Amino acid sequence: ESEALCLPYSAGQLRIGSINLWNDYEKIIIALAKEKQEIIVNYQHGGEYGILKSKIHANIVELCMGVFVTWGWSYSGGKTSIIPLPSPFHSMVFNKHSPKNNRIIIVGSGFRLLVKRLHWWSRSDMPKKYYNTVFEFIENLDERVRESSIYRPYNRWSDDVDGRSIVKKRFPKLEMLDEDFHGAMLSCGLVVFYSYGTAMSHSMAANVPTVIYKLPNMPAPREEARPLFESLERCGIIHNDPISAAAHINRIWPNVQEW
């Protein structure tokens, strides 16, 4: 805090940037800037914003700052001015899917053992439930489909659960994706997600064939987004359980483009 107090602040000045909610020093700077009546302009940096009805840290921090720039969505209510703008990254990958192989990328999740903020998965049994769901999905894939699948582990921090080892122990023959994920996604045959996260929105923007199976107790979509998600359910993109998602892939594989 003493270092943050030494920084210059000016009433009416724009302070633009996304808040790193894992960084206490950065949060102190934002709090002091708010006290000094600076205008905080925050921007969306993940895919669940505007989608999930319950986005805890967004509701209690980011959407209470003054101005929030989104990836194109808006809704009424709250203390923040919502400014919908096109996402630069989505614009860059828009309709860029060009299949060069028949790989099915199963995207893994990251679970931090030491969560320092409120989050919908901050429950002691959530990692176990998640991996049981992953196992159920993979086990219900036909052998020919499983042979075309590759798992993308999510390990970014030292206190993340070691998903690679957990999945590899259960499915020793399953390949792991270590290369650039976005490049692999743009050339794969199909990508599978467990939630409505950031990578899902990138996949949809790039027009990559996508299947999503929802995790247990996952928050529902916002009312404004519900009609869009009901359409995705009807056409087989979103499934309520891993068995349904696996059965759908078994039906359409390898003729995904016909689907």
Side-chain angles (χ1 to χ4, degrees):
E1 183 178 357
S2 60
E3 292 182 15
L5 285 167
C6 295
L7 298 175
Y9 302 92
S10 179
Q13 173 178 271
L14 295 180
R15 184 170 292 272
I16 303 173
S18 175
I19 303 173
N20 182 355
L21 297 176
W22 305 96
N23 187 320
D24 289 339
Y25 176 61
E26 190 170 316
K27 288 187 285 187
I28 291 171
I29 292 174
I30 292 295
L32 291 171
K34 189 73 173 175
E35 283 186 355
K36 301 296 183 180
Q37 298 183 330
E38 289 191 353
I39 301 172
I40 310 299
V41 181
N42 205 351
Y43 54 79
Q44 180 171 348
H45 54 92
E48 293 178 347
Y49 295 83
I51 293 178
L52 296 185
K53 184 179 293 185
S54 174
K55 180 77 171 168
I56 297 174
H57 62 269
N59 293 338
I60 65 176
V61 180
E62 295 164 310
L63 294 177
C64 299
M65 289 294 173
V67 178
F68 192 78
V69 179
T70 75
W71 292 351
W73 56 267
S74 61
Y75 59 85
S76 59
K79 303 176 182 178
T80 299
S81 298
I82 301 293
I83 301 178
L85 294 174
S87 161
F89 187 84
H90 288 160
S91 299
M92 184 173 66
V93 301
F94 176 70
N95 209 27
K96 289 294 180 64
H97 179 242
S98 178
K100 295 180 175 59
N101 57 67
N102 273 340
R103 287 199 303 188
I104 300 172
I105 302 177
I106 304 170
V107 180
S109 174
F111 287 96
R112 294 182 183 177
L113 297 174
L114 302 174
V115 179
K116 299 177 182 177
R117 72 184 191 206
L118 293 173
H119 196 284
W120 68 268
W121 69 24
S122 299
R123 295 185 292 273
S124 60
D125 63 341
M126 194 59 200
K128 181 179 179 181
K129 286 183 177 180
Y130 165 72
Y131 285 107
N132 285 339
T133 303
V134 172
F135 296 160
E136 192 172 26
F137 170 74
I138 297 175
E139 286 169 350
N140 279 277
L141 292 174
D142 290 345
E143 187 64 29
R144 62 187 176 84
V145 178
R146 195 184 306 175
E147 289 175 353
S148 298
S149 300
I150 186 168
Y151 185 79
R152 169 64 171 180
Y154 185 104
N155 291 101
R156 296 176 60 186
W157 309 99
S158 60
D159 59 345
D160 278 348
V161 173
D162 184 7
R164 169 192 292 273
S165 298
I166 293 172
V167 175
K168 197 69 175 174
K169 182 177 180 180
R170 185 68 169 261
F171 302 100
K173 295 182 179 180
L174 186 64
E175 290 186 55
M176 297 285 139
L177 177 65
D178 295 314
E179 64 196 74
D180 172 54
F181 168 67
H182 290 104
M185 181 180 71
L186 293 178
S187 62
C188 74
L190 180 74
V191 64
V192 181
F193 296 105
Y194 60 91
S195 71
Y196 312 137
T198 307
M200 181 213 76
S201 64
H202 295 168
S203 174
M204 300 294 287
N207 201 26
V208 180
T210 302
V211 171
I212 304 153
Y213 59 87
K214 296 187 291 187
L215 293 183
N217 302 320
M218 184 175 174
R222 297 183 59 85
E223 290 301 321
E224 296 90 339
R226 188 177 298 278
L228 299 175
F229 281 77
E230 288 175 350
S231 296
L232 296 177
E233 289 178 4
R234 286 194 295 271
C235 70
I237 292 177
I238 294 177
H239 296 261
N240 289 319
D241 61 78
I243 296 177
S244 171
H248 173 70
I249 295 173
N250 290 337
R251 284 194 299 271
I252 66 173
W253 191 258
N255 302 313
V256 177
Q257 293 299 318
E258 293 182 11
W259 166 55

